[in-house]
């Protein structure tokens, strides 16, 4: 539903889907301005969305406005947009709510239109969109953006629903144009946009480190190389773990300088032609007449020296079969072999990769994400003969400068179409790698025949054993405060599961339990900081009564299983061979206190060592049937339940204004958060007290060289060199702890200019006296600096009546209360007992500071 809402078109609006075609890669031909110009082809627009999705996505209408402004001949289109925007009689709404001016939105469109042409085409146009929409208003998160694009790839026909126009939507209009208006404030001039695209740091970093840092660098482990990165990623582990084995066994030339010659710079031959300075000395022993005669008759001998070695412009073309017969292990072996040839540390030959199916596509295999994408390219054809034929029709091979490798399975190479095409292009293909179940045969085409060079045995079971398997790891520290109230939880129906009695919901690293199956109460948090994404879940208790959470997800045909002990935090993970789970959507459930898997037809039991064993029996099938019916009924009831609270989980600003608590521009009064004005983080106005956001700056991914990053951290934080070294060495090292956000953002910009990625983790909002306001999964925690003042809690919901809770008393909405021992008191009594002391302590501190100053 969110997919449709994001791409929904509206009547009397500036864009629409046009010309439904349902081609192989598109549902519609274009997006257009009604009765106006084309905005862009559907395929082009989704390429932009794909590019932006690694950061976040702006509102769809906002992106289309930016595309219009950067299209050729855009003046007429921008004028049409301006007329439409001004024709909407929303001025009173804008003035009353102080949202934005339509004029600012149009000004920003004209600003984009005035950019130099080089920034409105190709790669720089994508960089422009990435720059202006980074952290823009109303953006869609990376996680949700990826889900939208996945749905488009798998079910792109859903897009046709969004093309059925809804009535004009005022809130959608505000969202699209308001985002542009806010960008005008951020980028007031063309220069400001271009400067941001360049991303020049404020401070130039020294190119060379001091002696002290250089000495410390010797202690630093080298960042993981490409092969190690493949091994560390679960999705490419099987490919990466084979490469070093192949390096030790492959007998393929690593260099290509003048084959069959070893020029050493000496004399290679004698000849009858040459320059006089090359004459053999013995020629001068003849008398003058004989000497001249030998010269005239080309009988004199000259020295022919060897030509010094030269670097050839030579390349290898690696063709990888993606057809049906090369799926599974042969595919893994093919990619491992191709990468082993191209990425060998001693090779100096350029390599290009092509995937063959019915057609051929060039791919890159330079980093982990590119390998993951390539592994997903599969052809449903039985063989790749058509792709090979198409490749050689387009690409003419010069055997003196190019050599072709073909990677395919034993079964595929036996097929008649493959035999024919290999015969037709025998002279063009130099090497054929024949993939077997646990081995590779390397053939070379020469002398009108195919010669077997070597047979490499690949013991896959041994090579795919993870070293860490015998050491169950602990998940990261995830202690969370046990609060005396229940949580409001956002709706997520896909990750609801049960153990036959209790129902659970997994949401972004947190496990919640339904307290009341009638949905009249909130949720109890069972665990936090769980390192899982979306997938299939099940839960059971072991013989010690400890809760064990099972997580399963499939990524690019790789089946991943993890189990987490919620009490000890012990985590075990395993990657299963595709043959263990055959086809269909996999579901997990609990039967007789054991975990089971099913694809709807077959059933497997998961043992304690994370191995699947095929099982059968009516009891197992009936248990899954009961589990599914119970879950589906519960989810439907939950969808229809009346309590649907909108929860805010991020605090942008906290203040005390006119004696009232104000969070994100919402004023708390009479057990409700009410919107006062549009919140601006730089707003001061009538504030009495303003809280400062405190954050951590955390190292996320490491670029190279790390020595510059270490020096930046040392210079900025004044920490000892050894401590800076440890921050870089550990995973998710904390660079800054408990500092104002502006300090973290300044250092983050400097570090990321060196190719290393950081992220800022919000901790809490703090006043000068030490009083804190923390948002914990939608619950505001108020903690005074004065220990005698009790801590209290308020759920941050904006569409209903909330509750105020202390350790043993509460006032307000009983949806958040489950403990019958809690005492209900009146709102004014709770305010006088808890909130007023919290505020008065802050006021007294502020008065004291002003008096002393």
């Amino acid at each position: 539903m969110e997919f449709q809402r994001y791409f929904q078109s509206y009547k009397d609006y500036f864009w629409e889907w046009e010309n439904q075609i349902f081609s192989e890669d598109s549902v519609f031909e274009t997006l257009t301005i009604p009765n106006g110009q084309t905005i862009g082809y559907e395929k082009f627009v989704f390429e932009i969305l794909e590019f932006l999705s690694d950061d976040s996505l702006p509102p769809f209408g906002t992106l289309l406005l930016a595309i219009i402004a950067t299209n050729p001949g855009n003046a007429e289109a921008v004028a049409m947009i301006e007329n439409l925007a001004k024709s909407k009689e929303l001025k009173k709404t804008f003035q009353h709510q102080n949202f934005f001016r339509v004029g600012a939105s149009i000004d920003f469109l004209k600003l984009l239109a005035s950019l130099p042409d080089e920034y409105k085409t190709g790669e720089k146009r994508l960089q422009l969109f990435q720059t202006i929409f980074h952290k823009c208003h109303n953006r869609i998160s990376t996680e949700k953006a990826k889900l939208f694009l996945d749905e488009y790839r798998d079910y792109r026909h859903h897009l046709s629903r969004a093309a059925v126009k809804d009535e004009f939507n005022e809130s959608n209009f505000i969202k699209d144009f308001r985002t542009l208006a806010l960008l005008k404030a951020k980028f007031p001039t063309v220069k400001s946009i271009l400067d941001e695209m360049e991303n020049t740091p404020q401070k130039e970093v020294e190119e060379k480190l001091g002696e002290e840092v250089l000495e410390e660098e010797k202690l630093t482990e080298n960042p993981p190389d490409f092969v190690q990165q493949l091994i560390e990623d679960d999705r490419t582990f099987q490919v990466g773990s084979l490469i070093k084995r192949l390096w030790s066994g492959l007998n393929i030339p690593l260099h290509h300088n003048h084959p069959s010659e070893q020029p050493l710079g000496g004399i290679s031959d004698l000849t009858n032609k040459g320059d006089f300075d090359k004459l053999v000395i013995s020629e001068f022993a003849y008398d003058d007449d004989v000497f001249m005669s030998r010269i005239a008759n080309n009988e004199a001998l000259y020295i022919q020296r060897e030509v010094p070695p030269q670097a050839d412009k030579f390349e290898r073309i690696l063709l990888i079969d993606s057809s049906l017969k090369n799926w599974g292990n042969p595919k893994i072996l093919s990619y491992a072999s191709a990468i082993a040839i191209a990425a060998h540390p001693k090779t100096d030959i350029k390599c290009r990769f092509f995937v063959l199916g019915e057609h051929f596509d060039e791919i890159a295999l330079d980093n982990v994400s590119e390998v993951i994408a390539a592994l997903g390219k599969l052809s449903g054809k039985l063989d790749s003969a058509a792709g090979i034929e198409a490749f050689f029709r387009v690409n003419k091979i010069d055997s003196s400068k190019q050599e072709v490798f073909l990677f395919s399975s034993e079964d595929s190479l036996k097929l008649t179409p493959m035999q024919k095409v290999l015969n037709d292009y025998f002279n063009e293909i130099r090497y054929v790698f024949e993939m077997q179940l646990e081995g590779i045969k390397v053939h070379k085409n020469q002398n009108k025949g195919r010669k077997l060079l070597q047979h490499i045995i690949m013991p896959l079971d041994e090579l795919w054993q993870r070293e860490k398997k015998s050491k169950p790891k602990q998940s990261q520290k995830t202690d969370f405060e046990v609060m005396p109230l229940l949580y409001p939880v956002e709706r997520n129906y896909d990750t609801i599961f049960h153990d036959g009695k209790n129902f659970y919901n997994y949401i972004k690293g947190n496990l919640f339990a339904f307290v009341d199956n009638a949905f009249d109460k909130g949720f109890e948090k069972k665990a936090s900081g769980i390192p899982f994404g979306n997938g299939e879940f099940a839960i059971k208790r072991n013989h010690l009564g400890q809760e064990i959470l099972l997580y399963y997800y499939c990524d690019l045909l790789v089946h991943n299983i993890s189990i987490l002990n919620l009490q000890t935090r012990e985590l075990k993970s395993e990657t299963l061979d595709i043959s263990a789970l055959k086809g269909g959507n996999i579901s997990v459930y609990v039967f007789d206190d054991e975990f089971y898997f099913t694809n709807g037809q077959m059933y497997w039991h998961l043992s304690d060592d994370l191995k699947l064993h095929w099982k059968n029996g009516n009891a197992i099938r009936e248990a899954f049937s009961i589990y599914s019916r119970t879950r589906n009924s519960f989810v439907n009831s939950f969808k229809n339940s009346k309590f649907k609270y909108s929860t805010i989980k991020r605090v942008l600003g906290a203040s005390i204004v006119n004696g009232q608590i104000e969070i994100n521009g919402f004023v708390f009064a009479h057990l409700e958060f009410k919107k006062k004005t549009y919140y601006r983080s730089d707003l001061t106005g009538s504030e009495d007290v303003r809280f400062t956001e405190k954050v951590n700056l955390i190292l996320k991914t490491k670029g190279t060289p790390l020595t510059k990053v270490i020096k930046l951290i040392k210079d900025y934080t004044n920490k000892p060199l050894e401590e800076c070294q440890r921050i870089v060495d550990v995973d998710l090292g904390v660079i800054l702890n408990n500092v104002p956000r502006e300090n973290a953002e300044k250092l983050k910009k400097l570090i990321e200019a060196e190719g290393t990625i950081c992220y800022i983790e919000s901790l809490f909002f703090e006043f000068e006296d030490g009083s804190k306001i923390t948002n914990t999964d939608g619950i505001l925690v108020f903690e005074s600096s004065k220990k005698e003042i009790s801590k209290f809690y308020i759920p941050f919901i904006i569409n209903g009546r909330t509750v105020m809770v202390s350790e043993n008393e509460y006032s307000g909405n009983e949806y958040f209360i489950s403990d019958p021992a809690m005492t209900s008191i009146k709102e004014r009594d709770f305010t006088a007992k808890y909130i007023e002391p919290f505020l008065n302590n802050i006021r007294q501190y502020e008065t004291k500071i002003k008096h002393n100053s």
Side-chain angles (χ1 to χ4, degrees):
M1 191 64 187
E2 289 188 349
F3 174 87
Q4 179 180 340
R5 187 159 53 242
Y6 182 75
F7 296 107
Q8 182 63 51
S9 59
Y10 299 93
K11 296 178 181 177
D12 195 23
Y13 204 32
F14 75 88
W15 68 274
E16 64 183 359
W17 299 98
E18 186 176 76
N19 193 13
Q20 190 164 325
I21 55 178
F22 284 113
S23 70
E24 183 178 347
D25 54 5
S26 298
V27 178
F28 295 90
E29 186 175 11
T30 58
L31 293 100
T32 61
I33 301 172
N35 302 315
Q37 298 178 2
T38 296
I39 299 173
Y41 288 95
E42 177 193 314
K43 186 176 180 182
F44 168 70
V45 172
F46 272 90
E47 285 175 356
I48 297 175
L49 290 171
E50 186 78 45
F51 180 82
L52 297 177
S53 63
D54 287 336
D55 184 4
S56 59
L57 292 183
F60 190 58
T62 306
L63 175 61
L64 295 182
L65 288 169
I67 293 174
I68 291 170
T70 53
N71 276 342
N74 49 27
E76 182 181 347
V78 172
M80 290 183 67
I81 303 258
E82 183 175 8
N83 292 335
L84 180 140
K86 290 182 176 179
S87 71
K88 303 298 177 186
E89 296 183 2
L90 301 172
K91 294 182 180 179
K92 291 183 180 179
T93 302
F94 295 159
Q95 290 174 356
H96 178 68
Q97 297 187 16
N98 194 28
F99 275 159
F100 70 99
R101 294 182 301 105
V102 170
S105 308
I106 303 303
D107 287 347
F108 190 69
L109 287 180
K110 293 178 179 178
L111 194 68
L112 293 178
S114 65
L115 286 167
D117 289 342
E118 63 182 292
Y119 291 93
K120 294 188 285 186
T121 58
E123 185 106 2
K124 287 196 174 182
R125 190 185 195 186
L126 294 176
Q127 292 174 0
L128 168 67
F129 293 154
Q130 187 179 55
T131 300
I132 63 175
F133 292 133
H134 177 61
K135 293 186 177 180
C136 72
H137 203 66
N138 292 317
R139 63 187 181 274
I140 302 298
S141 68
T142 300
E143 184 179 65
K144 189 174 288 186
K146 296 294 186 184
L147 292 175
F148 286 173
L149 293 171
D150 287 344
E151 182 169 351
Y152 175 74
R153 280 188 287 267
D154 297 337
Y155 309 101
R156 58 174 45 123
H157 61 278
H158 289 179
L159 204 60
S160 59
R161 304 173 190 167
V164 179
K165 294 184 178 181
D166 285 352
E167 293 298 324
F168 178 80
N169 186 296
E170 179 178 322
S171 63
N172 186 75
F173 177 91
I174 292 172
K175 179 180 66 178
D176 290 346
F177 281 81
R178 177 188 181 198
T179 303
L180 282 182
L182 295 172
L183 290 176
K184 178 63 167 62
K186 185 177 180 181
F187 301 107
T189 63
V190 168
K191 185 177 183 301
S192 64
I193 297 176
L194 300 183
D195 287 347
E196 185 66 22
M197 287 182 69
E198 295 298 328
N199 195 24
T200 305
Q202 298 296 320
K203 177 182 176 184
E204 290 296 328
V205 184
E206 295 177 6
E207 293 201 9
K208 298 290 183 181
L209 298 178
E211 182 178 350
E212 180 186 19
V213 179
L214 288 174
E215 290 176 357
E216 186 67 15
E217 183 185 4
K218 297 174 184 177
L219 303 177
T220 308
E221 292 183 4
N222 292 327
D225 60 14
F226 176 41
V227 175
Q228 188 61 35
Q229 291 173 17
L230 293 174
I231 293 172
E232 290 174 358
D233 194 299
D234 287 340
R235 294 165 293 182
T236 56
F237 165 74
Q238 291 176 305
V239 172
S241 59
L242 305 180
I243 292 174
K244 291 184 179 179
R245 176 68 172 241
L246 287 166
W247 281 348
S248 66
L250 270 177
N251 186 20
I252 300 294
L254 301 176
H255 309 281
H256 197 277
N257 286 330
H258 296 291
S260 302
E261 293 185 12
Q262 292 293 328
L264 302 175
I267 299 170
S268 63
D269 204 352
L270 296 177
T271 179
N272 293 119
K273 294 181 180 180
D275 298 327
F276 290 132
D277 61 332
K278 303 294 192 303
L279 275 169
V280 177
I281 295 177
S282 60
E283 292 292 337
F284 295 100
Y286 295 104
D287 59 45
D288 291 346
D289 292 338
V290 174
F291 177 68
M292 293 304 296
S293 174
R294 289 177 64 78
I295 293 290
N297 294 302
N298 291 328
E299 295 174 350
L301 299 177
Y302 300 82
I303 295 172
Q304 178 175 309
R305 294 195 175 273
E306 293 174 331
V307 178
Q310 300 175 1
D312 293 342
K313 291 184 177 179
F314 194 79
E315 71 173 2
R316 282 175 167 162
I317 296 174
L318 311 177
L319 308 179
I320 302 173
D321 187 351
S322 68
S323 63
L324 198 59
K325 292 282 188 180
N326 206 51
W327 287 15
N329 286 359
K331 181 188 74 171
I332 302 298
L333 289 167
S334 295
Y335 277 95
S337 301
I339 295 172
I341 292 170
H344 195 287
K346 293 183 178 180
T347 192
D348 55 9
I349 302 176
K350 177 185 175 182
C351 293
R352 296 170 64 194
F353 305 91
F354 294 84
V355 171
L356 306 173
E358 188 173 6
H359 307 288
F360 69 93
D361 291 308
E362 185 166 8
I363 60 172
L365 295 176
D366 297 324
N367 55 52
V368 173
S369 59
E370 289 175 346
V371 175
I372 293 170
L375 288 168
K377 292 182 177 291
L378 300 172
S379 169
K381 294 294 182 180
L382 200 60
D383 61 70
S384 60
I388 297 173
E389 182 77 36
F391 173 83
F392 285 114
R393 279 203 307 268
V394 174
N395 299 276
K396 303 303 180 185
I397 303 301
D398 182 349
S399 59
S400 65
K401 297 180 180 180
Q402 296 170 304
E403 61 182 6
V404 178
F405 291 66
L406 175 65
F407 304 87
S408 187
S409 70
E410 181 180 25
D411 292 339
S412 179
L413 292 171
K414 292 178 180 178
L415 296 175
T416 302
M418 289 290 286
Q419 293 282 335
K420 181 179 184 303
V421 78
L422 291 179
N423 183 63
D424 292 343
Y425 296 101
F426 179 87
N427 294 327
E428 283 80 3
I429 299 174
R430 182 73 57 85
Y431 295 97
V432 177
F433 279 58
E434 181 182 340
M435 306 302 160
Q436 300 174 311
L437 282 178
E438 288 198 344
I440 302 172
K441 288 184 177 180
V442 182
H443 304 271
K444 184 176 182 180
N445 291 346
Q446 63 181 27
N447 300 328
K448 299 183 179 180
R450 182 179 297 170
K451 177 183 178 182
L452 177 64
L453 295 182
Q454 57 186 143
H455 185 190
I456 305 173
I457 303 300
M458 303 292 288
L460 299 182
D461 289 340
E462 173 189 331
L463 295 171
W464 287 344
Q465 289 289 329
R466 288 182 180 267
E467 293 179 5
K468 64 181 181 181
K469 221 170 124 181
S470 59
K471 296 181 180 179
K473 60 182 179 180
Q474 302 290 319
S475 66
Q476 62 188 32
K477 183 179 178 182
T478 55
D479 295 338
F480 63 91
E481 180 182 1
V482 179
M483 299 188 186
L485 74 166
L486 301 176
Y487 287 76
V489 173
E490 61 196 83
R491 295 295 179 109
N492 187 346
Y493 305 112
D494 295 332
T495 52
I496 292 176
F497 57 99
H498 67 91
D499 59 7
K501 180 181 178 182
N502 302 307
F503 286 83
Y504 302 86
N505 202 352
Y506 177 82
I507 299 175
K508 296 178 181 177
N510 297 311
L511 180 65
F512 296 96
F514 288 81
V515 171
D516 181 3
N517 291 351
F519 316 112
D520 292 330
K521 292 289 183 181
F523 293 76
E524 176 189 358
K525 183 187 279 190
K526 303 292 292 184
S528 182
I530 301 173
F532 301 152
N534 286 338
E536 293 288 324
F537 295 88
I539 193 169
K540 71 171 186 176
R541 290 184 179 272
N542 62 14
H543 65 284
L544 299 176
Q546 298 167 334
E547 293 174 307
I548 309 297
L549 180 66
L550 167 69
Y551 170 57
Y552 161 80
Y553 78 100
C554 181
D555 187 8
L556 292 174
L557 302 180
V558 178
H559 300 268
N560 304 275
I561 296 175
S562 296
I563 58 173
L564 174 67
N565 187 314
L566 298 182
Q567 277 66 51
T568 66
R569 307 299 297 186
E570 179 183 326
L571 176 65
K572 297 180 181 179
S573 299
E574 180 62 278
T575 302
L576 300 178
D577 182 15
I578 188 173
S579 61
L581 297 169
K582 298 179 174 64
N585 293 324
I586 304 299
S587 299
V588 298
Y589 66 104
V590 173
F591 169 61
D592 199 21
D593 292 328
E594 297 289 343
F595 290 127
Y596 282 84
F597 285 64
T598 181
N599 60 4
Q601 298 177 344
M602 302 178 67
Y603 296 82
W604 297 268
H605 166 254
L606 183 70
S607 61
D608 291 340
D609 60 353
L610 302 188
K611 297 294 185 182
L612 288 182
H613 306 279
W614 179 75
K615 294 286 185 180
N616 197 6
N618 292 331
I620 296 173
R621 288 193 293 271
E622 181 61 23
F624 175 67
S625 179
I626 294 172
Y627 174 88
S628 299
R629 289 197 304 269
T630 304
R631 181 191 177 279
N632 293 339
S633 175
F634 183 86
V635 170
N636 289 333
S637 299
F638 184 41
K639 288 179 179 179
N640 297 323
S641 61
K642 60 181 179 179
F643 293 112
K644 297 182 180 180
Y645 292 114
S646 295
T647 307
I648 297 180
K649 294 187 176 181
R650 183 183 176 191
V651 174
L652 301 176
S655 312
I656 299 173
V657 181
N658 299 325
Q660 292 180 306
I661 297 170
E662 185 173 316
I663 311 289
N664 291 14
F666 289 91
V667 177
F668 179 68
H670 305 302
L671 294 170
E672 287 187 321
F673 287 95
K674 295 184 178 179
K675 188 70 173 177
K676 181 181 177 182
T677 59
Y678 168 65
Y679 177 74
R680 281 174 43 203
S681 60
D682 59 345
L683 190 65
T684 53
S686 60
E687 288 182 331
D688 297 325
V689 173
R690 182 170 178 79
F691 290 74
T692 300
E693 184 181 12
K694 294 297 185 71
V695 303
N696 287 343
L697 179 63
I698 298 175
L699 195 66
K700 186 176 182 181
T701 60
K702 303 171 187 177
T704 54
L706 292 176
T707 47
K708 287 190 176 183
V709 176
I710 294 170
K711 179 168 174 56
L712 278 173
I713 297 173
K714 184 177 184 296
D715 291 346
Y716 195 92
T717 64
N718 292 321
K719 292 179 179 178
L721 188 63
E722 295 79 5
E723 185 177 350
C724 298
Q725 181 73 61
R726 284 194 296 271
I727 291 171
V728 173
D729 284 346
V730 301
D731 291 334
L732 301 178
V734 179
I735 302 170
L736 295 176
N737 174 251
N738 194 10
V739 298
R741 175 175 280 272
E742 54 267 26
N743 294 6
E745 287 180 339
K746 182 178 179 181
L747 181 56
K748 179 177 185 287
K749 186 173 183 180
L750 292 174
I751 291 176
E752 291 189 342
E754 300 298 334
T756 295
I757 305 301
C758 309
Y759 73 91
I760 294 176
E761 176 187 48
S762 181
L763 299 176
F764 46 76
F765 280 72
E766 185 178 50
F767 187 57
E768 294 173 2
D769 74 327
S771 298
K772 299 176 183 177
I773 301 176
T774 307
N775 190 328
T776 304
D777 290 316
I779 294 180
L780 297 172
V781 183
F782 296 81
E783 187 174 3
S784 177
S785 60
K786 192 173 182 179
K787 300 305 178 185
E788 294 80 6
I789 299 174
S790 300
K791 187 187 298 186
F792 60 94
Y793 311 83
I794 304 175
F796 195 3
I797 58 173
I798 60 172
N799 63 333
R801 187 165 171 265
T802 186
V803 69
M804 303 179 294
V805 182
S806 68
E807 289 301 323
N808 47 32
E809 294 180 315
Y810 74 94
S811 176
N813 192 344
E814 294 190 353
Y815 174 84
F816 300 97
I817 305 299
S818 65
D819 187 355
M822 295 279 287
T823 302
S824 176
I825 62 176
K826 293 182 178 180
E827 177 191 347
R828 64 173 179 270
D829 294 335
F830 192 100
T831 301
K833 192 172 181 180
Y834 299 101
I835 297 181
E836 284 301 330
F838 177 83
L839 300 179
N840 287 336
N841 183 61
I842 293 174
R843 293 192 193 99
Q844 290 171 8
Y845 178 85
E846 189 180 36
T847 302
K848 181 180 177 181
I849 294 298
K850 288 180 179 179
H851 177 74
N852 292 337
S853 62

